[in-house]
Amino acid sequence: MSEIVLKNVCKQYEKGQQYAVQDVSLRIGEGEFVIFVGPSGCGKSTTLRMIAGLEEISRGELWMDGALCNYVEPKERGLAMVFQNYALYPHMNVYDNLAFSLQIRKMDKKEIDRRVHEAAGMLGIEHLLRQRPGSLSGGQKQRVAIGSALVRNVKVFLLDEPLSNLDAKLRAQMRVELAEIHRKLGATMIYVTHDQTEAMTLGTKIVVMDQGRIRQADRPAEIYNHPADRFVAGFIGSPSMNFFKGTIRVPGRAAFLELEDGTMLEVPENRAGLLEEKYAGQRVVLGIRPEDLHEAGWPGGSGKTGHADRSSWKLEGEIVAREMLGSECMLYLESDAGDFAARLPVAVRGAVGEKKQLYLDMTRAHYFDAQTEKNIFYREGRDLV
Ligand SMILES: Nc1ncnc2c1ncn2[C@@H]1O[C@H](COP(=O)(O)OP(=O)(O)OP(=O)(O)O)[C@@H](O)[C@H]1O
Ligand SMILES: [Mg+2]
């Protein structure tokens, strides 16, 4: 068992200073791959370092396997940490770098040798064991750093942006390997990254932090499809979700969202009830992802909501940039309702400077309270946290 529980954990580096981490509560189950994301300075590394015992917890409790661990020494916690700037010993060869943490624990030489070769085999660096770090590429050094954590046979790995120094191709390769290692070891991984793809693909749970607090902690698909608030909605997804300010209007039987350029978007039935009841005449923020904008006649979208007339989901803008991504095309548009981006098939018509009408799939839109920025339809405690 290796469950980790944080209860209202806070960190204040100096008295009178702002809290770097505030009231962070989180349960990390055995074998989970938990990803911390958030803007620079939001407290990701601080949280990881408190779990590792490298930083004192100012207030709150850290529990591991049912025992309160706030004051347990780092080396007694049974975890291994890998940092962004892979701290290797330059004067030692790869073998000794991998073996070092075991040698200082006075482990049997044969067992050390077995573990070094096992880790090196897993990471494909057996042929480098006699080389010194100085002669290795960035990706190879990174593998050694991960290897020196692997040899320790711990149940919990803490990784702070371990792949951030690698180029895109190596990152993708290491990402697949990390997923494989996680699967093989069944260990708990707690991982900080700025990379959206790493977060979405590796994580069993994503923790989105902002200014020292957790905004949302949930499965990747839940975070993507049911963001708790506007911050999470805008932070996860690349390019970012489009946001439009608007006002809910109920002129007759149907509800509409009036955008700032006067465009009236009909609200589909599955969303209309609550908006009519609580937000009629009030301002909300509409959120829609670039992939949920389409040209006329896109398949799907209608029917399920009992909504037939998609002509009321139209928005016009001027194309200000066009990006060919290979398998699809990004259009960036400007309108009086706000700027927006659309991810469309490569064959989409429209050049920079031209006007373009696109359809918003309103069945996939999000609605945020203009004041609190909370997702109006978010249901708290959906499943886990
Ligand atoms: N040793 C320290 N002493 C004082 N303040 C610190 C210390 N380390 C971090 N901080 C502050 O705590 C806050 C959180 O920092 P932290 O390093 O945890 O952020 P982060 O989310 O890891 O950011 P990044 O993405 O840039 O690595 C920041 O405001 C930072 O300036
Ligand atoms: Mg950091």
Side-chain angles (χ1 to χ4, degrees):
M1 244 253 311
S2 53
E3 186 192 57
I4 298 173
V5 179
L6 287 79
K7 287 186 188 165
N8 303 101
V9 167
C10 301
K11 178 67 186 180
Q12 191 181 32
Y13 280 100
E14 274 160 61
K15 272 216 167 73
Q17 241 188 15
Q18 246 203 328
Y19 278 85
V21 169
Q22 207 161 356
D23 274 329
V24 162
S25 295
L26 185 69
R27 197 190 80 82
I28 300 170
E30 182 177 357
E32 273 204 81
F33 203 133
V34 177
I35 309 266
F36 279 83
V37 294
S40 187
C42 71
K44 306 179 294 290
S45 297
T46 302
T47 305
L48 233 62
R49 293 172 61 81
M50 286 192 286
I51 296 172
L54 301 173
E55 210 63 75
E56 196 181 318
I57 295 171
S58 307
R59 212 169 58 226
E61 296 171 3
L62 172 70
W63 293 77
M64 296 172 89
D65 291 341
L68 185 65
C69 278
N70 287 42
Y71 299 104
V72 173
E73 286 293 315
K75 62 176 189 304
E76 308 293 332
R77 294 191 185 194
L79 34 78
M81 188 149 175
V82 181
F83 299 93
Q84 171 182 357
N85 50 353
Y86 28 78
L88 302 181
Y89 303 102
H91 58 286
M92 293 184 197
N93 66 20
V94 169
Y95 185 99
D96 289 328
N97 264 284
L98 292 177
F100 185 69
S101 67
L102 306 180
Q103 288 163 349
I104 57 169
R105 283 176 173 75
K106 306 252 185 308
M107 187 181 277
D108 175 61
K109 276 215 172 89
K110 269 204 184 118
E111 176 62 11
I112 293 179
D113 195 59
R114 193 188 65 73
R115 289 200 191 181
V116 166
H117 282 286
E118 188 184 44
M122 217 181 262
L123 292 161
I125 51 173
E126 268 176 315
H127 60 294
L128 303 173
L129 288 173
R130 297 295 148 208
Q131 291 192 32
R132 290 208 179 166
S135 67
L136 304 180
S137 73
Q140 290 167 335
K141 281 184 201 158
Q142 195 61 71
R143 280 159 211 258
V144 179
I146 293 170
S148 61
L150 284 185
V151 291
R152 297 190 36 211
N153 261 357
V154 293
K155 286 266 178 280
V156 181
F157 291 91
L158 307 175
L159 302 116
D160 197 347
E161 304 195 45
L163 308 184
S164 58
N165 288 336
L166 307 184
D167 66 42
K169 199 170 161 205
L170 257 179
R171 282 184 88 114
Q173 193 182 331
M174 282 301 293
R175 190 173 75 226
V176 173
E177 281 171 26
L178 274 176
E180 181 74 13
I181 287 170
H182 175 245
R183 202 182 53 74
K184 265 193 211 152
L185 299 180
T188 306
M189 305 248 176
I190 308 176
Y191 189 101
V192 175
T193 183
H194 276 102
D195 188 297
Q196 297 267 336
T197 318
E198 280 173 25
M200 290 303 291
T201 57
L202 287 175
T204 55
K205 187 190 281 176
I206 296 180
V207 180
V208 184
M209 288 187 73
D210 179 38
Q211 295 179 37
R213 292 178 186 275
I214 295 182
R215 289 288 194 132
Q216 190 173 2
D218 213 331
R219 288 190 296 265
E222 286 294 313
I223 297 260
Y224 194 81
N225 295 316
H226 306 285
D229 58 33
R230 184 179 164 165
F231 176 85
V232 174
F235 193 81
I236 297 290
S238 175
S240 178
M241 186 184 282
N242 299 299
F243 296 106
F244 299 100
K245 288 182 189 150
T247 307
I248 297 295
R249 304 282 181 211
V250 191
R253 291 182 52 173
F256 288 83
L257 179 71
E258 183 182 355
L259 301 186
E260 289 194 324
D261 67 345
T263 298
M264 295 287 263
L265 301 169
E266 191 173 342
V267 177
E269 271 173 20
N270 63 337
R271 294 299 187 229
L274 183 63
L275 290 175
E276 276 176 28
E277 192 185 316
K278 292 210 171 137
Y279 285 87
Q282 293 195 45
R283 297 175 63 74
V284 298
V285 174
L286 176 81
I288 188 137
R289 294 200 184 275
E291 64 265 32
D292 294 324
L293 281 96
H294 305 274
E295 292 198 277
W298 87 91
S302 71
K304 281 194 193 112
T305 58
H307 198 292
D309 184 16
R310 293 193 223 154
S311 63
S312 64
W313 294 350
K314 225 180 327 185
L315 182 60
E316 187 177 274
E318 183 186 324
I319 301 174
V320 291
R322 187 186 165 114
E323 276 177 6
M324 164 68 179
L325 300 178
S327 59
E328 48 205 353
C329 178
M330 288 298 309
L331 291 187
Y332 296 89
L333 302 101
E334 274 178 14
S335 79
D336 290 337
D339 300 347
F340 57 103
R343 189 191 289 275
L344 296 158
V346 176
V348 66
R349 284 167 183 263
V352 170
E354 286 176 13
K355 292 242 189 284
K356 177 91 187 161
Q357 277 190 340
L358 290 171
Y359 292 78
L360 282 63
D361 183 351
M362 291 293 285
T363 64
R364 300 187 52 81
H366 302 268
Y367 302 85
F368 303 94
D369 185 299
Q371 243 99 54
T372 64
E373 304 209 325
K374 298 263 182 248
N375 184 343
I376 294 168
F377 294 93
Y378 180 71
R379 281 176 293 133
E380 202 91 40
R382 198 173 275 279
D383 191 355
L384 49 99
V385 157

